[in-house]
């Protein structure tokens, strides 16, 4: 009888501790840091390359172990939809570059830009009016309306 009470108390304690355990944050939540990002868009059969300026995204952290950007595909999709919708450019291949340090990303920006400037057959067109936005912001706005 005494053994049953002890076993019941231990099981009750274990269940209580599991219930009060803090859940792990997911990669889809908002972060506390800043990430800098720019994008490149190009149609593979065209000689014009479109490049955005470096944007700062608040409330976003890189993944801890892999240093990957969460929502990478969503950021690339934002640029692709902008190119198709606003500039009427279809069949664009888009790519985003990111870093949590602006200086590091600036070096990458000029390296990518120089690669296209060195080629006499390509022309670089800056995209001034495009701004990346946090994917959760657009998700919240769609669900509110």
């Amino acid at each position: 009888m005494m053994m049953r009470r002890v076993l019941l108390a231990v099981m009750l304690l274990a269940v209580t501790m599991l219930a009060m355990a803090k859940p792990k944050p997911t990669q889809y939540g908002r972060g506390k840091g800043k990430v800098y990002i720019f994008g490149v868009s190009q149609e593979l059969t065209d000689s014009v390359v479109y490049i955005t300026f470096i944007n700062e995204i608040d409330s976003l952290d890189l993944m801890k172990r892999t240093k990957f950007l969460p929502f990478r595909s969503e950021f690339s999709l934002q640029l692709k939809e902008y190119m198709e919708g606003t500039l009427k450019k279809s069949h664009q291949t888009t790519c985003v570059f990111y870093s949590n340090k602006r200086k590091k990303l600036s070096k990458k920006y000029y390296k990518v830009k120089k690669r296209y400037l060195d080629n006499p057959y390509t022309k670089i067109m800056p995209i001034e009016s495009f701004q990346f936005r946090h994917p959760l912001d657009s998700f919240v706005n769609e669900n509110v309306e």
Side-chain angles (χ1 to χ4, degrees):
M1 189 71 164
M2 184 69 157
M3 189 63 142
R4 282 186 179 172
R5 286 184 182 175
V6 170
L7 186 60
L8 182 64
V10 169
M11 287 176 40
L12 185 61
L13 181 64
V15 168
T16 305
M17 290 178 71
L18 287 174
M20 296 190 69
K22 195 174 189 180
K24 289 183 180 178
T26 63
Q27 67 181 6
Y28 299 106
R30 289 198 169 270
K32 296 180 181 174
K34 293 180 183 178
V35 174
Y36 300 96
I37 186 171
F38 76 91
V40 177
S41 178
Q42 178 182 18
E43 185 178 349
L44 298 178
T45 60
D46 193 7
S47 63
V48 180
V49 177
Y50 297 91
I51 188 166
T52 68
F53 293 115
I54 296 176
N55 297 148
E56 178 182 307
I57 308 289
D58 282 336
S59 305
L60 190 63
D61 293 323
L62 299 180
M63 293 180 190
K64 290 189 188 294
R65 201 178 91 236
T66 60
K67 301 296 183 199
F68 279 164
L69 178 69
F71 311 111
R72 287 184 309 279
S73 60
E74 283 84 358
F75 285 116
S76 184
L77 189 62
Q78 283 179 21
L79 182 57
K80 185 177 180 87
E81 288 175 350
Y82 176 82
M83 295 299 294
E84 290 175 353
T86 306
L87 299 180
K88 306 294 186 220
K89 300 289 182 183
S90 59
H91 308 297
Q92 293 288 315
T93 302
T94 58
C95 180
V96 292
F97 297 87
Y98 59 90
S99 178
N100 55 356
K101 295 181 175 70
R102 187 175 182 92
K103 186 175 182 180
K104 184 177 177 182
L105 190 65
S106 293
K107 288 181 182 180
K108 187 67 172 176
Y109 179 81
Y110 290 115
K111 187 176 179 180
V112 168
K113 201 170 178 179
K114 185 179 183 320
R115 176 178 291 160
Y116 290 115
L117 285 173
D118 287 346
N119 187 346
Y121 300 109
T122 59
K123 181 179 177 185
I124 294 181
M125 297 291 293
I127 305 173
E128 297 173 356
S129 60
F130 177 75
Q131 290 285 327
F132 287 104
R133 55 189 191 283
H134 198 294
L136 291 181
D137 291 343
S138 60
F139 177 73
V140 169
N141 291 340
E142 289 173 2
N143 288 336
V144 170
E145 295 173 354

